[in-house]
mmCIF file of all heavy atoms in Angstrom:
data_model
loop_
_atom_site.group_PDB
_atom_site.id
_atom_site.type_symbol
_atom_site.label_atom_id
_atom_site.label_comp_id
_atom_site.label_asym_id
_atom_site.label_seq_id
_atom_site.Cartn_x
_atom_site.Cartn_y
_atom_site.Cartn_z
ATOM 1 N N MET A 1 -0.242 -25.951 0.301
ATOM 2 C CA MET A 1 -0.467 -26.992 1.301
ATOM 3 C C MET A 1 -1.785 -27.725 1.048
ATOM 4 O O MET A 1 -2.742 -27.142 0.530
ATOM 5 C CB MET A 1 -0.467 -26.373 2.704
ATOM 6 C CG MET A 1 0.845 -25.725 3.090
ATOM 7 S SD MET A 1 0.770 -24.990 4.749
ATOM 8 C CE MET A 1 2.393 -24.205 4.824
ATOM 9 N N PRO A 2 -1.862 -28.989 1.409
ATOM 10 C CA PRO A 2 -3.083 -29.790 1.177
ATOM 11 C C PRO A 2 -4.300 -29.182 1.869
ATOM 12 O O PRO A 2 -4.210 -28.694 3.003
ATOM 13 C CB PRO A 2 -2.731 -31.151 1.802
ATOM 14 C CG PRO A 2 -1.240 -31.196 1.819
ATOM 15 C CD PRO A 2 -0.788 -29.779 2.039
ATOM 16 N N GLY A 3 -5.438 -29.191 1.189
ATOM 17 C CA GLY A 3 -6.690 -28.760 1.787
ATOM 18 C C GLY A 3 -6.953 -27.277 1.776
ATOM 19 O O GLY A 3 -8.012 -26.825 2.236
ATOM 20 N N SER A 4 -6.005 -26.478 1.255
ATOM 21 C CA SER A 4 -6.170 -25.025 1.286
ATOM 22 C C SER A 4 -7.017 -24.558 0.109
ATOM 23 O O SER A 4 -6.807 -24.965 -1.030
ATOM 24 C CB SER A 4 -4.814 -24.326 1.267
ATOM 25 O OG SER A 4 -4.098 -24.660 0.103
ATOM 26 N N ASN A 5 -7.987 -23.682 0.405
ATOM 27 C CA ASN A 5 -8.864 -23.142 -0.630
ATOM 28 C C ASN A 5 -9.014 -21.638 -0.450
ATOM 29 O O ASN A 5 -9.418 -21.172 0.622
ATOM 30 C CB ASN A 5 -10.250 -23.790 -0.551
ATOM 31 C CG ASN A 5 -10.216 -25.273 -0.857
ATOM 32 O OD1 ASN A 5 -9.868 -25.678 -1.957
ATOM 33 N ND2 ASN A 5 -10.548 -26.089 0.138
ATOM 34 N N LYS A 6 -8.676 -20.891 -1.489
ATOM 35 C CA LYS A 6 -8.836 -19.439 -1.467
ATOM 36 C C LYS A 6 -10.317 -19.119 -1.693
ATOM 37 O O LYS A 6 -10.880 -19.488 -2.731
ATOM 38 C CB LYS A 6 -7.975 -18.793 -2.548
ATOM 39 C CG LYS A 6 -7.951 -17.270 -2.494
ATOM 40 C CD LYS A 6 -7.267 -16.679 -3.715
ATOM 41 C CE LYS A 6 -5.813 -17.070 -3.844
ATOM 42 N NZ LYS A 6 -5.159 -16.367 -4.987
ATOM 43 N N VAL A 7 -10.948 -18.435 -0.737
ATOM 44 C CA VAL A 7 -12.384 -18.186 -0.831
ATOM 45 C C VAL A 7 -12.739 -16.707 -1.002
ATOM 46 O O VAL A 7 -13.878 -16.377 -1.328
ATOM 47 C CB VAL A 7 -13.123 -18.759 0.398
ATOM 48 C CG1 VAL A 7 -13.007 -20.279 0.432
ATOM 49 C CG2 VAL A 7 -12.592 -18.151 1.696
ATOM 50 N N PHE A 8 -11.775 -15.834 -0.778
ATOM 51 C CA PHE A 8 -11.999 -14.400 -1.001
ATOM 52 C C PHE A 8 -10.632 -13.748 -1.115
ATOM 53 O O PHE A 8 -9.734 -14.063 -0.338
ATOM 54 C CB PHE A 8 -12.772 -13.768 0.167
ATOM 55 C CG PHE A 8 -13.219 -12.350 -0.086
ATOM 56 C CD1 PHE A 8 -14.384 -12.080 -0.785
ATOM 57 C CD2 PHE A 8 -12.466 -11.269 0.373
ATOM 58 C CE1 PHE A 8 -14.802 -10.769 -1.030
ATOM 59 C CE2 PHE A 8 -12.867 -9.961 0.136
ATOM 60 C CZ PHE A 8 -14.036 -9.712 -0.566
ATOM 61 N N ASP A 9 -10.481 -12.866 -2.113
ATOM 62 C CA ASP A 9 -9.195 -12.189 -2.223
ATOM 63 C C ASP A 9 -9.385 -10.738 -2.648
ATOM 64 O O ASP A 9 -10.506 -10.282 -2.937
ATOM 65 C CB ASP A 9 -8.224 -12.934 -3.143
ATOM 66 C CG ASP A 9 -8.644 -12.936 -4.604
ATOM 67 O OD1 ASP A 9 -9.197 -11.921 -5.080
ATOM 68 O OD2 ASP A 9 -8.410 -13.947 -5.293
ATOM 69 N N SER A 10 -8.291 -10.016 -2.675
ATOM 70 C CA SER A 10 -8.340 -8.569 -2.893
ATOM 71 C C SER A 10 -8.748 -8.180 -4.308
ATOM 72 O O SER A 10 -9.078 -7.017 -4.554
ATOM 73 C CB SER A 10 -6.984 -7.942 -2.550
ATOM 74 O OG SER A 10 -5.923 -8.623 -3.200
ATOM 75 N N SER A 11 -8.759 -9.140 -5.256
ATOM 76 C CA SER A 11 -9.257 -8.818 -6.595
ATOM 77 C C SER A 11 -10.757 -8.536 -6.560
ATOM 78 O O SER A 11 -11.304 -7.939 -7.495
ATOM 79 C CB SER A 11 -8.964 -9.967 -7.572
ATOM 80 O OG SER A 11 -9.743 -11.108 -7.275
ATOM 81 N N MET A 12 -11.406 -8.941 -5.477
ATOM 82 C CA MET A 12 -12.841 -8.707 -5.323
ATOM 83 C C MET A 12 -13.133 -7.324 -4.735
ATOM 84 O O MET A 12 -14.284 -6.894 -4.702
ATOM 85 C CB MET A 12 -13.454 -9.818 -4.463
ATOM 86 C CG MET A 12 -13.276 -11.201 -5.065
ATOM 87 S SD MET A 12 -13.747 -12.526 -3.931
ATOM 88 C CE MET A 12 -13.290 -13.978 -4.911
ATOM 89 N N ILE A 13 -12.090 -6.651 -4.263
ATOM 90 C CA ILE A 13 -12.214 -5.262 -3.808
ATOM 91 C C ILE A 13 -11.059 -4.455 -4.443
ATOM 92 O O ILE A 13 -10.234 -3.883 -3.751
ATOM 93 C CB ILE A 13 -12.197 -5.142 -2.266
ATOM 94 C CG1 ILE A 13 -10.985 -5.878 -1.657
ATOM 95 C CG2 ILE A 13 -13.489 -5.660 -1.661
ATOM 96 C CD1 ILE A 13 -10.759 -5.550 -0.178
ATOM 97 N N PRO A 14 -11.005 -4.414 -5.768
ATOM 98 C CA PRO A 14 -9.851 -3.809 -6.448
ATOM 99 C C PRO A 14 -9.634 -2.353 -6.069
ATOM 100 O O PRO A 14 -10.582 -1.577 -5.931
ATOM 101 C CB PRO A 14 -10.216 -3.943 -7.932
ATOM 102 C CG PRO A 14 -11.702 -4.048 -7.957
ATOM 103 C CD PRO A 14 -12.058 -4.812 -6.718
ATOM 104 N N GLY A 15 -8.360 -2.004 -5.868
ATOM 105 C CA GLY A 15 -8.009 -0.617 -5.569
ATOM 106 C C GLY A 15 -8.159 -0.214 -4.122
ATOM 107 O O GLY A 15 -7.937 0.946 -3.786
ATOM 108 N N GLU A 16 -8.481 -1.161 -3.232
ATOM 109 C CA GLU A 16 -8.698 -0.794 -1.830
ATOM 110 C C GLU A 16 -7.474 -1.046 -0.949
ATOM 111 O O GLU A 16 -7.284 -0.361 0.050
ATOM 112 C CB GLU A 16 -9.916 -1.533 -1.268
ATOM 113 C CG GLU A 16 -11.224 -1.081 -1.901
ATOM 114 C CD GLU A 16 -12.456 -1.584 -1.174
ATOM 115 O OE1 GLU A 16 -12.394 -1.789 0.051
ATOM 116 O OE2 GLU A 16 -13.496 -1.781 -1.848
ATOM 117 N N ILE A 17 -6.656 -2.025 -1.294
ATOM 118 C CA ILE A 17 -5.413 -2.283 -0.542
ATOM 119 C C ILE A 17 -4.272 -1.772 -1.405
ATOM 120 O O ILE A 17 -3.861 -2.407 -2.377
ATOM 121 C CB ILE A 17 -5.260 -3.773 -0.207
ATOM 122 C CG1 ILE A 17 -6.426 -4.247 0.665
ATOM 123 C CG2 ILE A 17 -3.932 -4.022 0.504
ATOM 124 C CD1 ILE A 17 -6.410 -5.736 0.974
ATOM 125 N N ILE A 18 -3.779 -0.585 -1.054
ATOM 126 C CA ILE A 18 -2.837 0.147 -1.899
ATOM 127 C C ILE A 18 -1.458 0.151 -1.243
ATOM 128 O O ILE A 18 -1.336 0.371 -0.033
ATOM 129 C CB ILE A 18 -3.320 1.600 -2.109
ATOM 130 C CG1 ILE A 18 -4.798 1.623 -2.513
ATOM 131 C CG2 ILE A 18 -2.468 2.305 -3.151
ATOM 132 C CD1 ILE A 18 -5.429 3.007 -2.434
ATOM 133 N N ASP A 19 -0.430 -0.062 -2.049
ATOM 134 C CA ASP A 19 0.936 -0.106 -1.539
ATOM 135 C C ASP A 19 1.662 1.182 -1.899
ATOM 136 O O ASP A 19 1.712 1.580 -3.068
ATOM 137 C CB ASP A 19 1.661 -1.327 -2.105
ATOM 138 C CG ASP A 19 0.938 -2.616 -1.733
ATOM 139 O OD1 ASP A 19 0.626 -2.781 -0.541
ATOM 140 O OD2 ASP A 19 0.675 -3.436 -2.627
ATOM 141 N N LEU A 20 2.235 1.807 -0.896
ATOM 142 C CA LEU A 20 2.756 3.165 -1.015
ATOM 143 C C LEU A 20 4.192 3.272 -0.526
ATOM 144 O O LEU A 20 4.651 2.437 0.260
ATOM 145 C CB LEU A 20 1.921 4.122 -0.155
ATOM 146 C CG LEU A 20 0.402 4.034 -0.236
ATOM 147 C CD1 LEU A 20 -0.222 4.806 0.915
ATOM 148 C CD2 LEU A 20 -0.076 4.569 -1.578
ATOM 149 N N LEU A 21 4.864 4.339 -0.953
ATOM 150 C CA LEU A 21 6.027 4.827 -0.215
ATOM 151 C C LEU A 21 5.556 6.091 0.478
ATOM 152 O O LEU A 21 5.179 7.075 -0.171
ATOM 153 C CB LEU A 21 7.220 5.140 -1.109
ATOM 154 C CG LEU A 21 8.440 5.590 -0.283
ATOM 155 C CD1 LEU A 21 9.049 4.417 0.482
ATOM 156 C CD2 LEU A 21 9.502 6.262 -1.155
ATOM 157 N N VAL A 22 5.552 6.051 1.799
ATOM 158 C CA VAL A 22 5.047 7.158 2.609
ATOM 159 C C VAL A 22 6.227 7.913 3.198
ATOM 160 O O VAL A 22 7.171 7.312 3.727
ATOM 161 C CB VAL A 22 4.132 6.627 3.729
ATOM 162 C CG1 VAL A 22 3.773 7.732 4.716
ATOM 163 C CG2 VAL A 22 2.873 6.023 3.119
ATOM 164 N N ILE A 23 6.177 9.232 3.109
ATOM 165 C CA ILE A 23 7.269 10.078 3.594
ATOM 166 C C ILE A 23 6.739 11.097 4.590
ATOM 167 O O ILE A 23 5.586 11.556 4.479
ATOM 168 C CB ILE A 23 7.971 10.772 2.398
ATOM 169 C CG1 ILE A 23 9.265 11.481 2.850
ATOM 170 C CG2 ILE A 23 7.035 11.740 1.689
ATOM 171 C CD1 ILE A 23 10.134 11.928 1.673
ATOM 172 N N ASN A 24 7.546 11.435 5.576
ATOM 173 C CA ASN A 24 7.187 12.462 6.547
ATOM 174 C C ASN A 24 6.987 13.781 5.812
ATOM 175 O O ASN A 24 7.873 14.254 5.099
ATOM 176 C CB ASN A 24 8.301 12.579 7.597
ATOM 177 C CG ASN A 24 7.995 13.600 8.658
ATOM 178 O OD1 ASN A 24 7.950 14.797 8.397
ATOM 179 N ND2 ASN A 24 7.806 13.136 9.880
ATOM 180 N N THR A 25 5.808 14.372 5.946
ATOM 181 C CA THR A 25 5.463 15.581 5.193
ATOM 182 C C THR A 25 6.405 16.736 5.500
ATOM 183 O O THR A 25 6.808 17.481 4.587
ATOM 184 C CB THR A 25 4.011 15.989 5.490
ATOM 185 O OG1 THR A 25 3.138 14.905 5.115
ATOM 186 C CG2 THR A 25 3.614 17.232 4.713
ATOM 187 N N ASP A 26 6.770 16.903 6.756
ATOM 188 C CA ASP A 26 7.681 18.004 7.126
ATOM 189 C C ASP A 26 9.054 17.810 6.492
ATOM 190 O O ASP A 26 9.685 18.768 6.036
ATOM 191 C CB ASP A 26 7.812 18.107 8.647
ATOM 192 C CG ASP A 26 6.521 18.583 9.306
ATOM 193 O OD1 ASP A 26 5.707 19.222 8.611
ATOM 194 O OD2 ASP A 26 6.332 18.303 10.506
ATOM 195 N N ILE A 27 9.522 16.560 6.471
ATOM 196 C CA ILE A 27 10.813 16.268 5.843
ATOM 197 C C ILE A 27 10.748 16.549 4.349
ATOM 198 O O ILE A 27 11.663 17.128 3.759
ATOM 199 C CB ILE A 27 11.238 14.815 6.117
ATOM 200 C CG1 ILE A 27 11.564 14.626 7.606
ATOM 201 C CG2 ILE A 27 12.438 14.422 5.252
ATOM 202 C CD1 ILE A 27 11.929 13.208 7.993
ATOM 203 N N LEU A 28 9.660 16.153 3.721
ATOM 204 C CA LEU A 28 9.505 16.381 2.279
ATOM 205 C C LEU A 28 9.480 17.875 1.960
ATOM 206 O O LEU A 28 10.114 18.320 1.001
ATOM 207 C CB LEU A 28 8.233 15.713 1.780
ATOM 208 C CG LEU A 28 7.934 15.859 0.282
ATOM 209 C CD1 LEU A 28 9.043 15.230 -0.553
ATOM 210 C CD2 LEU A 28 6.585 15.241 -0.056
ATOM 211 N N LYS A 29 8.752 18.645 2.765
ATOM 212 C CA LYS A 29 8.679 20.090 2.532
ATOM 213 C C LYS A 29 10.047 20.743 2.671
ATOM 214 O O LYS A 29 10.405 21.652 1.911
ATOM 215 C CB LYS A 29 7.692 20.733 3.503
ATOM 216 C CG LYS A 29 6.239 20.448 3.184
ATOM 217 C CD LYS A 29 5.314 21.114 4.205
ATOM 218 C CE LYS A 29 3.849 20.869 3.881
ATOM 219 N NZ LYS A 29 2.939 21.462 4.890
ATOM 220 N N ALA A 30 10.823 20.284 3.651
ATOM 221 C CA ALA A 30 12.145 20.860 3.885
ATOM 222 C C ALA A 30 13.178 20.358 2.888
ATOM 223 O O ALA A 30 14.204 21.014 2.666
ATOM 224 C CB ALA A 30 12.616 20.548 5.313
ATOM 225 N N ASN A 31 12.902 19.202 2.273
ATOM 226 C CA ASN A 31 13.876 18.559 1.385
ATOM 227 C C ASN A 31 13.188 18.041 0.124
ATOM 228 O O ASN A 31 13.114 16.832 -0.101
ATOM 229 C CB ASN A 31 14.571 17.403 2.110
ATOM 230 C CG ASN A 31 15.212 17.826 3.417
ATOM 231 O OD1 ASN A 31 16.336 18.310 3.436
ATOM 232 N ND2 ASN A 31 14.484 17.649 4.519
ATOM 233 N N PRO A 32 12.670 18.921 -0.724
ATOM 234 C CA PRO A 32 11.960 18.452 -1.915
ATOM 235 C C PRO A 32 12.823 17.603 -2.849
ATOM 236 O O PRO A 32 12.296 16.755 -3.576
ATOM 237 C CB PRO A 32 11.505 19.750 -2.589
ATOM 238 C CG PRO A 32 12.401 20.821 -2.032
ATOM 239 C CD PRO A 32 12.698 20.394 -0.638
ATOM 240 N N ASN A 33 14.137 17.801 -2.813
ATOM 241 C CA ASN A 33 15.012 16.982 -3.665
ATOM 242 C C ASN A 33 14.990 15.508 -3.260
ATOM 243 O O ASN A 33 15.255 14.638 -4.088
ATOM 244 C CB ASN A 33 16.440 17.511 -3.646
ATOM 245 C CG ASN A 33 16.616 18.730 -4.536
ATOM 246 O OD1 ASN A 33 15.741 19.053 -5.343
ATOM 247 N ND2 ASN A 33 17.735 19.419 -4.394
ATOM 248 N N LEU A 34 14.675 15.243 -1.988
ATOM 249 C CA LEU A 34 14.546 13.850 -1.558
ATOM 250 C C LEU A 34 13.367 13.204 -2.281
ATOM 251 O O LEU A 34 13.468 12.065 -2.756
ATOM 252 C CB LEU A 34 14.355 13.774 -0.042
ATOM 253 C CG LEU A 34 14.079 12.373 0.524
ATOM 254 C CD1 LEU A 34 15.235 11.426 0.229
ATOM 255 C CD2 LEU A 34 13.800 12.444 2.026
ATOM 256 N N GLY A 35 12.264 13.934 -2.367
ATOM 257 C CA GLY A 35 11.108 13.423 -3.099
ATOM 258 C C GLY A 35 11.437 13.175 -4.554
ATOM 259 O O GLY A 35 11.019 12.160 -5.140
#
């Protein structure tokens, strides 16, 4: 869009915004094959 300027982004704090698949620990313990 017109006039937009990126002034700070996550490359300036590398490794801090992490994308995960999170699983319920109790479910994982009971069902390791799911993991």
Side-chain angles (χ1 to χ4, degrees):
M1 298 179 185
S4 60
N5 295 297
K6 187 189 298 185
V7 295
F8 189 83
D9 67 36
S10 51
S11 69
M12 300 170 184
I13 52 168
E16 293 192 30
I17 299 176
I18 312 167
D19 301 310
L20 313 166
L21 183 72
V22 171
I23 189 168
N24 181 292
T25 301
D26 291 337
I27 292 177
L28 180 61
K29 287 179 179 178
N31 305 275
N33 282 348
L34 175 61

